[in-house]
Amino acid sequence: MSETPWLTIIGLGEDGLKGLGPASRTALEAAEIVMAPPRHLALVGDLPCETQSWPVPFADGIDILLGLRGKRVVVLASGDPFWFGAGATLARHLEPEEWCSCPGPSSFSLAANRMGWSLVRTVCLGLHAAPLTRLRPHLAPDVKIIALLRDGDAVGALGAYLSDAGFGASAVSVLEALGGPRERVTHLRADAVATERFEHPLCVAIEVAGGGPALPLASGRPDDWFETDGQITKQPVRAITLSALAPRPFDHLWDIGGGSGSIGIEWLLTHPTLEATSFEPSPDRAARISANAARLGVDRLKVVTGAAPDALVGQKEPQVVFIGGGLTAELLKWLEGNLSKGTRLVANAVTLETEALVVDAHRRLGGTLIRLEVARAEPLGPKRGWKANYPIVQWSVSL
């Protein structure tokens, strides 16, 4: 094992070499090659060693970097390389003893200090390479958000997005080139930012205000948050189903028979480490699932167009499976034969045929079997009466 790693990742601020600590300076002095985006190379000026621009897209530079093993290499990144930066991506391709990191202050830390905000009570988002819809789950009055943006033009798009969502009254502070000689902070309302010009690099601090609808935090969001053709697990049943699915950090869900995607979407809204794949045989419904997921800020939902069990073959293994529609004896047999021991399975049955399947499966495999009956008060002539939905038989089991 080498006593000194061949790669040092240095978090660079907008003040260039002035902001570097002793460890970063020592690594730069010993470097044979410095690899960085052109903007970072410009911040440090002329160096005594060889320099190489990191290509675009970023992934194209990884093989180039790995080919430099055996030399002393420095990679320059922005701020803290392990907070929405290049650090974690590079570390996945390296052994622990091959690299070290010298972080600088992150944009989030600098922005919070300029704003006087507590970071532990502030939502931090990297929207420089992600859609603005990632904001949607967090939009509620008085929420504070710090978000990295791609470039100056994205500020206008942000203002339009917030205004369209009903939060045009939000206070937006645009923070450009934090920590450097070009630093500038501009305070505006969201519905006014499109009239200004801003320069990269930048982030925004948002104090949400306005009368737009806020997405509830609890499972079982109202049905009208989802576009649907009628194929949807309705709100009360969805809330009980999410409870039965019992999401845990880093779990991966298979949602078989996605319909409108409501189960997979609510699963992902529970925690940022969760993953989900939705399987839907109808192309129209599959497209609607993707659109619902993107609009509600969980575009990471993977949607597979195809019927189970064939569509399940070769997919990333789940820890949890939900069957909301299309349960057959063939599918159940495939799941029993192919899922790992301990996989949690929840199936909702509406028809007598699927109810017979889950009742038999409960007899053979155990688990929990419950019957859900929901009725709503609706007009009945001049008065009101109960209108019942179809009862649901829900089977939950660890295989």
Side-chain angles (χ1 to χ4, degrees):
M1 180 187 298
S2 172
E3 292 184 1
T4 304
W6 65 268
L7 174 63
T8 302
I9 307 168
I10 294 178
L12 191 67
E14 290 300 306
D15 53 356
L17 294 174
K18 293 180 182 178
L20 296 183
S24 297
R25 290 182 178 276
T26 298
L28 269 179
E29 291 169 0
E32 297 174 76
I33 299 176
V34 172
M35 192 172 174
R39 186 178 73 82
H40 293 78
L41 291 175
L43 286 172
V44 297
D46 293 333
L47 294 171
C49 64
E50 179 185 346
T51 61
Q52 183 164 353
S53 293
W54 198 285
V56 177
F58 180 83
D60 290 352
I62 294 175
D63 285 340
I64 298 173
L65 174 67
L66 298 179
L68 299 176
R69 278 191 174 98
K71 298 184 177 182
R72 296 289 184 192
V73 182
V74 165
V75 167
L76 299 178
S78 295
D80 183 346
F82 285 86
W83 201 347
F84 294 109
T89 300
L90 296 180
R92 286 198 295 269
H93 296 272
L94 299 163
E95 297 299 325
E97 67 272 10
E98 290 188 287
W99 63 274
C100 64
S101 178
C102 301
S106 71
S107 295
F108 300 108
S109 295
L110 292 170
N113 277 271
R114 298 296 185 274
M115 300 299 298
W117 291 359
S118 167
L119 267 181
V120 298
R121 296 178 62 85
T122 300
V123 177
C124 296
L125 299 173
L127 303 181
H128 52 301
L132 293 174
T133 50
R134 296 274 181 94
L135 285 165
R136 194 61 192 86
H138 309 288
L139 295 182
D142 300 324
V143 171
K144 291 181 172 65
I145 301 170
I146 297 174
L148 309 181
L149 294 184
R150 179 187 68 254
D151 54 30
D153 292 341
V155 178
L158 170 70
Y161 178 77
L162 290 172
S163 298
D164 290 345
F167 297 98
S170 299
V172 176
S173 298
V174 185
L175 305 106
E176 301 169 80
L178 284 174
R182 297 190 300 112
E183 178 176 314
R184 182 173 70 135
V185 180
T186 306
H187 303 287
L188 298 165
R189 271 176 57 116
D191 50 17
V193 297
T195 64
E196 300 290 323
R197 297 283 303 175
F198 302 100
E199 299 296 330
H200 177 75
L202 56 82
C203 64
V204 290
I206 308 166
E207 191 163 7
V208 182
L215 188 63
L217 295 176
S219 297
R221 278 81 174 182
D223 294 341
D224 57 12
W225 280 96
F226 305 93
E227 295 292 335
T228 179
D229 61 359
Q231 189 73 17
I232 185 173
T233 303
K234 297 295 178 63
Q235 179 184 7
V237 175
R238 193 182 331 120
I240 294 172
T241 298
L242 264 293
S243 177
L245 291 170
R248 303 168 186 170
F250 300 99
D251 274 351
H252 180 202
L253 170 74
W254 279 1
D255 179 10
I256 300 175
S260 302
S262 60
I263 290 291
I265 289 168
E266 291 223 35
W267 168 275
L268 292 176
L269 286 169
T270 304
H271 198 268
T273 65
L274 294 174
E275 298 179 349
T277 303
S278 181
F279 300 90
E280 172 53 55
S282 165
D284 289 345
R285 286 176 178 166
R288 188 177 293 111
I289 292 170
S290 294
N292 279 334
R295 184 168 46 81
L296 295 176
V298 287
D299 51 284
R300 69 186 191 276
L301 175 64
K302 180 180 179 181
V303 181
V304 175
T305 304
D310 292 346
L312 309 178
V313 177
Q315 299 295 331
K316 181 178 178 180
E317 187 173 4
Q319 286 72 50
V320 188
V321 174
F322 172 64
I323 308 172
L327 178 63
T328 64
E330 177 192 13
L331 173 58
L332 191 54
K333 181 180 179 180
W334 190 96
L335 293 173
E336 289 182 51
N338 289 274
L339 295 179
S340 296
K341 182 177 175 59
T343 301
R344 306 194 301 281
L345 172 65
V346 176
N348 286 355
V350 179
T351 67
L352 292 174
E353 289 77 9
T354 52
E355 180 177 336
L357 279 175
V358 298
V359 169
D360 180 66
H362 175 257
R363 178 187 58 78
R364 292 186 297 106
L365 300 173
T368 301
L369 197 64
I370 62 174
R371 181 181 171 95
L372 308 173
E373 298 189 56
V374 178
R376 297 178 184 273
E378 293 192 2
L380 185 61
K383 299 184 179 180
R384 293 174 299 155
W386 292 108
K387 183 176 181 180
N389 294 331
Y390 287 115
I392 303 289
V393 174
Q394 184 179 90
W395 174 50
S396 305
V397 69
S398 289
L399 296 176

